[in-house]
């Protein structure tokens, strides 16, 4: 079947799927967006793409044990044309809700459409999809074990009158959804004009119909159709075959150790953590971060280290309940936490300690 025929089939499919929605383009400014509330409502195939420690910059969808589908601009630096070194993939987090069930993954390589690919040849970076492959780490489960499902053929919207977009909101780090997105056409290069403008963090999120993924959200009013040819090319990557219609770019990733502190009490806990910042000279004093975590919640501490040793102290109940140890800083006791590998390390402060 020719590419033109495939595009026509896809266009007819969307026409049937989105009947009644093509006159809704004026609704872009009034796109309805709502938070995804509760652990059962979270999209288990959705991932956040973050920079720094927890700055959500984009969204993506799990499509295999180590692979995520997103937008190229989420992981490729437009100035250098190379993968960003500070991008990480975090499955199922909800920073606004204190929900952090699994550690971050570091990018190993990125696949972009080849120049001679039949889908969207010559498209600018702003219009391209990307497949991200994350680095394997000892003891770190595959995406499929954390998310319970891959999202590539995942029916979700629940009706045939529009497209559903689940994404991460950069402002809160929490999952959001919009059911008010409609595709207006499929244009040359498999671009899809949309009638919605979603918040920052939504780029790279899957646009779904009741029958599965139709494309990805690129930005306000813009989407990218994922047709049969794209799906076949993506399938080759997932099964370990030669990428064919995709070119591969190795990522110069910069791994680090981060720290997730969970509060096992039913009351707030104040913490102080001391650590060696990345690239800090050994003769310099330890860096310090501090904060408070509500009862039963967790938080990613704002620290990055390569050292693997963190000293931690916590207090609750007005200082009457103290977690400390034999290591002294300014007269106060801290306990030592030794970490053997990069990525997120999870530690719980329990009122039973």
């Amino acid at each position: 079947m020719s590419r033109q025929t495939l595009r026509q089939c896809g266009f007819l499919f969307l026409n049937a799927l989105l009947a009644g929605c093509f006159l809704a383009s004026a609704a872009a400014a009034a796109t309805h967006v709502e938070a995804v509330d509760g652990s059962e409502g979270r999209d288990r195939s959705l991932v956040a793409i973050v920079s720094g420690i927890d700055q959500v910059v984009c969204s993506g969808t799990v499509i295999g044990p180590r692979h995520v589908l997103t937008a190229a601009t989420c992981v490729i630096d437009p100035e250098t044309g190379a993968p960003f070194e500070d991008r990480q993939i975090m499955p199922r987090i909800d920073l606004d809700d204190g929900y952090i069930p699994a550690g971050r993954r570091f990018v190993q390589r990125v696949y972009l459409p080849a120049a001679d690919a039949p889908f969207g040849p010559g498209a600018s970076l702003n219009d391209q999809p990307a497949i991200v492959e994350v680095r394997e780490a000892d003891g770190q489960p595959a995406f499929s074990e954390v998310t319970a499902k891959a999202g590539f053929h995942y029916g979700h919207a629940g009706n045939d009158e529009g497209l559903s977009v689940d994404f991460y909101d950069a402002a809160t780090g929490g999952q959001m959804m919009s059911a008010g997105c409609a595709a207006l056409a499929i244009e040359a290069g498999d671009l899809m004009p949309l009638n919605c403008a979603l918040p920052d963090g939504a780029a790279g999120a899957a646009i779904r119909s009741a029958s599965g993924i139709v494309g990805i959200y690129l930005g306000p009013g813009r989407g990218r159709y994922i047709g049969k040819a794209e799906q076949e090319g993506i399938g080759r990557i997932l099964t370990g075959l030669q990428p064919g219609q995709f070119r591969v770019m190795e990522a110069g990733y910069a791994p680090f150790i981060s720290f997730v502190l969970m509060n096992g009490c039913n009351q707030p806990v104040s913490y102080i953590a001391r650590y060696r910042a990345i690239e800090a000279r050994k003769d310099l004093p330890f860096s310090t971060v501090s904060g408070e975590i509500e009862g039963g919640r967790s938080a990613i501490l704002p620290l990055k280290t390569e050292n693997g040793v963190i000293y931690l102290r916590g207090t609750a109940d007005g200082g009457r309940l103290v977690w400390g140890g034999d290591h002294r800083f300014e007269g106060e006791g801290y306990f030592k936490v030794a970490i053997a590998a990069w990525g997120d390390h999870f530690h719980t402060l329990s009122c039973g300690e």
Side-chain angles (χ1 to χ4, degrees), residues 45-326:
S45 67
L46 184 62
V47 300
I49 299 176
V50 303
S51 66
I53 298 291
D54 56 1
Q55 298 172 10
V56 175
V57 294
C58 281
S59 301
T61 304
V62 171
I63 57 175
R66 295 174 56 205
H67 294 88
V68 167
L69 177 66
T70 187
T73 53
C74 294
V75 289
I76 300 295
D77 186 340
E79 295 184 1
T80 66
F84 287 109
E85 293 187 2
D86 70 337
R87 295 293 189 264
Q88 310 118 50
I89 310 297
M90 298 189 71
R92 298 187 60 211
I93 64 164
D94 201 332
L95 301 177
D96 192 46
D97 192 42
Y99 185 76
I100 309 170
R104 71 191 70 223
R105 273 71 166 165
F106 294 92
V107 177
Q108 178 167 343
R109 56 181 62 97
V110 177
Y111 296 87
L112 296 177
D116 58 351
F119 41 87
S124 70
L125 186 68
N126 290 335
D127 300 329
Q128 291 182 354
I131 297 96
V132 176
E133 182 177 318
V134 298
R135 184 170 292 271
E136 288 185 295
D138 292 340
Q140 194 172 57
F143 279 132
S144 55
E145 298 177 42
V146 176
T147 64
K149 63 179 68 178
F152 195 62
H153 297 291
Y154 173 31
H156 187 83
N159 65 73
D160 288 341
E161 296 185 352
L163 297 172
S164 171
V165 186
D166 290 79
F167 60 93
Y168 276 98
D169 177 27
T172 65
Q175 284 194 28
M176 308 283 283
M177 71 174 297
S178 171
C181 203
L184 308 179
I186 299 178
E187 296 181 344
D190 283 347
L191 295 180
M192 288 198 307
L194 304 173
N195 78 323
C196 57
L198 302 177
D200 290 343
I207 299 172
R208 296 189 176 98
S209 71
S211 58
I213 286 183
V214 171
I216 56 176
Y217 178 82
L218 298 173
R222 300 168 51 250
R224 168 70 189 240
Y225 176 61
I226 302 296
K228 183 177 179 180
E230 287 94 328
Q231 293 186 31
E232 290 176 349
I234 292 170
R236 292 182 62 86
I237 296 172
L238 300 185
T239 54
L241 299 175
Q242 291 296 317
Q245 296 169 346
F246 285 83
R247 57 189 175 97
V248 60
M249 306 179 70
E250 297 294 327
Y253 78 108
F256 58 84
I257 294 169
S258 48
F259 198 82
V260 180
L261 186 59
M262 295 175 281
N263 181 3
C265 303
N266 59 6
Q267 55 186 301
V269 165
S270 297
Y271 68 84
I272 302 176
R274 294 180 179 265
Y275 67 103
R276 293 282 189 195
I278 290 178
E279 299 180 352
R281 297 204 325 262
K282 304 308 179 187
D283 59 337
L284 293 178
F286 281 88
S287 297
T288 302
V289 297
S290 60
E292 184 178 271
I293 304 174
E294 294 295 324
R297 305 289 287 273
S298 59
I300 302 175
L301 272 57
L303 63 85
K304 292 170 67 174
T305 178
E306 299 171 320
N307 184 277
V309 176
I310 296 173
Y311 295 97
L312 187 66
R313 176 180 173 86
T315 61
D317 194 21
R320 287 182 288 275
L321 187 60
V322 178
W323 299 266
D326 296 332

